[in-house]
Amino acid sequence: MPDQRMITVDTRDHGPVTIPEPAWCAGVHPAGGFRVDITHASGEMPLTFGTECCGPVPVLTVVFESRPYTDRPPGRGVFVNVGFDSDWHPLDPAGLEALADQLTVHAGRLQGAARRLAVLVEEESDQ
């Protein structure tokens, strides 16, 4: 295994805590929190849609995370946090696959709606 980068985070309850940092981590570890709150997080991977009225609008955001000292779900291992509907939703690989499957189904529905809209626009222009 290659040398792993070590980082130190100053916490209010355990003082300086030195831990390995995953290669995918963006390296943002604010000092002054509790040890249980230490989080490794990747950069955000946003999915946006460009609208005519408002420009790019966020649809959802994906972030890889791990929380090495938590006792709460989803646990200490790496997971994906998906941000949508003004909240974050932690997912394991199966949950992320299920979300992707649902988005694929919804994309098909949107394509069907686009075809139906084209017909309606054409019918309206013929009147």
Side-chain angles (χ1 to χ4, degrees):
M1 179 189 279
D3 290 333
Q4 198 164 24
R5 176 178 149 86
M6 301 299 287
I7 56 130
T8 300
V9 180
D10 290 321
T11 65
R12 65 171 55 165
D13 56 346
H14 287 84
V17 176
T18 301
I19 55 174
E21 181 179 64
W24 49 263
C25 182
V28 178
H29 302 90
F34 295 98
R35 185 179 72 165
V36 72
D37 297 324
I38 294 174
T39 301
H40 294 296
S42 70
E44 292 186 353
M45 297 170 271
L47 167 62
T48 59
F49 179 73
T51 64
E52 290 184 27
C53 63
C54 303
V57 175
V59 176
L60 60 83
T61 302
V62 174
V63 176
F64 290 102
E65 286 190 24
S66 70
R67 300 173 185 164
Y69 296 102
T70 190
D71 290 327
R72 295 177 297 202
R76 297 179 183 192
V78 66
F79 63 97
V80 165
N81 227 349
V82 179
F84 57 89
D85 195 29
S86 302
D87 205 356
W88 289 94
H89 305 273
L91 300 174
D92 61 10
L96 190 56
E97 286 283 350
L99 174 60
D101 290 344
Q102 288 179 2
L103 289 171
T104 300
V105 168
H106 193 66
R109 290 178 183 148
L110 288 174
Q111 290 167 331
R115 289 188 290 275
R116 177 69 178 136
L117 178 60
V119 169
L120 295 173
V121 168
E122 181 65 28
E123 288 174 355
E124 189 175 86
S125 69
D126 288 343
Q127 294 178 7

